[in-house]
Amino acid sequence: MFSVDKKKLDDLLRAWAKDELYVPCKVGDITSFEVYGTHEIDLDFKNSRVPIKRIMFPESETLYRYESFPEGYKIEPEELDNQKRIIFGARPCDCAGIERIDKKFYQDPADPYYDARRKNTIIVGLACNKPPFFSCFCTSVGLSPHSTVGMDALFTDLGDKYLAESITDKGKEILKGLDEAPEDEIRKAKELHEKADRLLERFEIDNSAMDFDARIWEKEAQRCIGCGICTFLCPSCSCFTIENIGSTRKGKMVRIWETCQFPAYSIEASGHNPRPNRKERVRQRFFDKYRYSFDKFGEFDCVGCGRCVDLCPVNIDVREIMVSVKEAGR
Amino acid sequence: MSEEEMKTKIRDLLVEGKIKFFVGYEKGTNPFLARPVMISDENLEKVDDLEFSVLCSNNLTLYIIEDRKKILPRGVERDERPIGLVVKGCDSRAINVLLQENMIKREDVFLVGLPCEGVVDPNKARDVWYKRSDRLNPEDLEINEKGMFVNGEKIADFDEIEADRCRVCLHRNPVAHDELVWDEVEEPKLETREKRYEKIREYESLSPEKKWDFWKKELSKCIRCYSCKNICPLCYCEECSLAKDQLQAVSPEEKSRRVLWVGREVDLLDNLSYHLNRAMHLAGRCIDCGECERSCPVNIPLRLLYNEVEKNIYETFQYEAGINPDEEPVLTTFGSEEARNEECFL
């Protein structure tokens, strides 16, 4: 445990900025993680609109370039991005999202593009002393406003100081040389953590009560407009599509964020779509988050950041739905 | 008609099977937004909870087209009965555009008009609430046409949380309706049209470099989630030439022939072509319901783009979208003097 004076934080960040350092910044009226020094830094932020997954898994990235020659196609894989990065100030839910994405990208064989960025990135989290949004529900999915899942180090705001805790070896490395924190600061942080826990209302998610044929999916899907905000902004969603950009002669293959909420996502080569309507697509999101991922990895693919609740233009609320699923299953 | 009489009427229509379902607003879990609710004869009790308030932000006309697009299981026939829905002034203009473009027939819809003096912008309201209230749970929050209240104490005036589009709205009363929830409200004064284009004029006065910088900054935020397109009641194409996201059941041959005009890559050029193309496709059609801007998760000022196009159309043709359903859509027709004009585009 280390102690960082807020006045000295900038020195610390400047030292970290020799690598590419991402900090929460005010961009227009939303918060976004940007490279240190390019925007006004904002450490009183609630949470960034787009989760930090975009730093390791960008909205679009080139996989390889191709060009046709008389002797055949020449394929040039894109160079791996080995830039060393530090993300400072990520919220615990978003960090847990990275851990969920790791599980998917590190299945055999590991994804080289993601791997290159991931292993070169150090994530320093910032605990929520007060859960930032009315829609926050991290404690209901087994996390907390100060959970360290997916982080290398955790900072806690103590007013005029930060308490810094290293979680992994990488975290130990970058916190080296800081002052040891006195006992009372550690105690104060613990109190703040417990207080934040109490602020959140918990509800129980019972995925065994989820009925594939229940009426609720149809009912909720009626309202859905299929925009996909819930998945694009989800810290743990990692689906992508691969598009050819260019012509058959010359071009590149690009990986782009994709969502199960679009019909084109599940359309098959024959033209058949196993998820033809909103009902199937909305249901897919819920089953993927709370059932399939649980069966496969032993945890929910949801980190309770509440973005999908807060930003849904038609107010489809996972909390409400999972509560009524549980009640219906009783 | 009063609210209660309206609810009785809606219930009767549903019980008698005269309408397939009714789309209205209900109180949801988001305190800054009344959410859409579909009521059919299966959940008639919901009629009592229908809400007509300043939180009714969504444009429900979208759901008419959504219902059309639904793929039915083999052997199930499409229910051709009309759909009932609530329309505000802006929404009713979307209905007129759909009528003009032969997407629907007037008898396909039963319109409950909601004369409206402005709705709340959920994004603004949320920001204000987070700033001025230290609470986490918005249970004791109340929003009405007077402003925002916590425990009865006013924390914001209505002006502060009113949606931008409503502040310059020219058609508060539904231009098409079968019934009205309450009496028509006073239409805005004539100077609102001047006010309407204030922001645009300000933007137009910028130098080309400044304009480019502005859009460069705004459009590089875009993550291409296509929510602006998917929430738009007038972006009803079964398949969008700017995004392949809505590709539906087609044969492999057909699928291979699909052309995407704009790359889906998230970079400035592709983002720019996507948004500019969309603005062109909405020229003379956009009714400024503001849904795109409201739903945009990264707060791109999309209305500026569409209002600019709207202003150009108004100044060139003195045409406003969605006012008269019998009028030809402005950009699909030529006036006699235009045909002779040598400077004419075609």
Side-chain angles (χ1 to χ4, degrees), chain A residues 30-77:
Chain A
I30 58 175
T31 305
S32 166
F33 277 86
E34 302 289 342
V35 175
Y36 178 76
T38 56
H39 292 78
E40 187 196 338
I41 181 164
D42 175 22
L43 285 171
D44 293 322
F45 73 115
K46 290 181 172 297
N47 200 352
S48 62
R49 196 49 78 78
V50 185
I52 55 164
K53 73 173 180 185
R54 80 172 338 163
I55 298 168
M56 280 155 280
F57 170 49
E59 296 98 315
S60 64
E61 61 179 318
T62 308
L63 302 180
Y64 61 82
R65 288 164 205 278
Y66 59 87
E67 195 174 347
S68 140
F69 291 100
E71 58 276 17
Y73 271 102
K74 195 175 154 225
I75 290 175
E76 193 83 50

Side-chain angles (χ1 to χ4, degrees), chain B residues 20-231:
Chain B
K20 179 153 79 169
F21 59 83
F22 187 84
V23 198
Y25 303 91
E26 69 170 358
K27 204 172 163 47
T29 60
N30 184 339
F32 313 109
L33 178 74
R35 68 187 180 194
V37 58
M38 272 74 175
I39 307 173
S40 63
D41 45 6
E42 280 175 37
N43 54 350
L44 269 178
E45 72 285 354
K46 290 245 180 193
V47 173
D48 296 325
D49 303 332
L50 277 176
E51 190 164 316
F52 305 99
S53 73
V54 290
L55 296 178
C56 300
S57 193
N58 285 66
N59 185 341
L60 304 177
T61 49
L62 170 73
Y63 292 107
I64 310 170
I65 301 293
E66 288 294 314
D67 185 61
R68 289 276 170 91
K69 285 188 183 164
K70 209 163 168 182
I71 296 169
L72 299 174
R74 212 167 285 168
V76 176
E77 275 205 25
R78 198 166 285 276
D79 187 342
E80 298 288 359
R81 283 177 295 167
I83 295 169
L85 71 157
V86 180
V87 286
K88 304 183 294 292
C90 45
D91 311 342
S92 68
R93 290 172 63 196
I95 293 276
N96 277 346
V97 176
L98 292 175
L99 286 170
Q100 284 177 312
E101 294 174 358
N102 287 326
M103 285 307 290
I104 54 168
K105 291 196 211 64
R106 186 62 180 84
E107 56 271 26
D108 292 342
V109 283
F110 173 79
L111 303 175
V112 171
L114 181 67
C116 152
E117 288 184 297
V119 295
V120 168
D121 179 347
N123 298 322
K124 276 192 195 175
R126 180 178 46 211
D127 288 351
V128 166
W129 184 73
Y130 280 135
K131 239 176 249 160
R132 300 191 192 156
S133 163
D134 52 354
R135 284 151 204 278
L136 184 63
N137 209 330
E139 259 165 12
D140 44 13
L141 176 78
E142 204 201 319
I143 299 175
N144 58 32
E145 62 286 346
K146 294 197 182 70
M148 194 190 307
F149 300 83
V150 172
N151 268 339
E153 195 188 323
K154 192 175 201 170
I155 61 165
D157 282 328
F158 186 70
D159 286 1
E160 277 179 272
I161 53 171
E162 189 178 9
D164 287 338
R165 66 174 194 277
C166 301
R167 300 183 67 79
V168 291
C169 171
L170 296 170
H171 301 277
R172 288 172 164 180
N173 294 308
V175 288
H177 59 85
D178 293 305
E179 299 285 354
L180 283 179
V181 182
W182 48 63
D183 291 340
E184 295 205 339
V185 296
E186 202 183 323
E187 284 291 2
K189 297 187 192 80
L190 278 172
E191 58 257 34
T192 314
R193 178 163 317 269
E194 272 316 297
K195 223 173 95 195
R196 185 170 176 78
Y197 298 134
E198 244 169 40
K199 253 192 167 169
I200 296 282
R201 294 226 166 81
E202 206 176 293
Y203 164 77
E204 281 174 344
S205 67
L206 297 176
S207 66
E209 293 77 28
K210 283 252 171 69
K211 280 182 190 163
W212 175 233
D213 283 346
F214 173 78
W215 285 113
K216 214 157 65 179
K217 193 179 104 228
E218 293 297 339
L219 292 179
S220 48
K221 290 195 288 194
C222 179
I223 57 169
R224 296 295 279 282
C225 67
Y226 301 121
S227 64
C228 47
K229 166 177 90 64
N230 287 336
I231 201 165

Side-chain angles (χ1 to χ4, degrees), chain A residues 199-213:
Chain A
L199 283 171
L200 280 173
E201 242 173 80
R202 279 200 70 203
F203 63 94
E204 206 190 321
I205 294 173
D206 179 5
N207 59 6
S208 65
M210 291 170 82
D211 177 4
F212 200 72
D213 299 313

Side-chain angles (χ1 to χ4, degrees), chain A residues 29 49 60 130-131 133-134 201 215 222-223 225-227 229 262-264 271 276-278 310 315 317 320, chain B residues 29 35-36 38 42 62-63 66 71 126 130 134 136-137 225 230 244-245 248 250 265-266 295 297 299:
Chain A
D29 37 13
R49 196 49 78 78
S60 64
K130 181 190 162 202
F133 298 118
F134 76 89
E201 242 173 80
R215 286 280 299 149
Q222 279 182 328
R223 198 161 64 232
I225 55 159
C227 67
I229 288 177
F262 290 167
N277 286 316
R278 289 276 146 72
D310 193 6
N315 187 218
D317 188 335
E320 189 189 16
Chain B
T29 60
R35 68 187 180 194
M38 272 74 175
E42 280 175 37
L62 170 73
Y63 292 107
E66 288 294 314
I71 296 169
R126 180 178 46 211
Y130 280 135
D134 52 354
L136 184 63
N137 209 330
C225 67
N230 287 336
K244 273 199 283 197
D245 62 329
Q248 268 295 8
V250 287
E265 209 179 357
V266 180
S295 69
N299 295 16

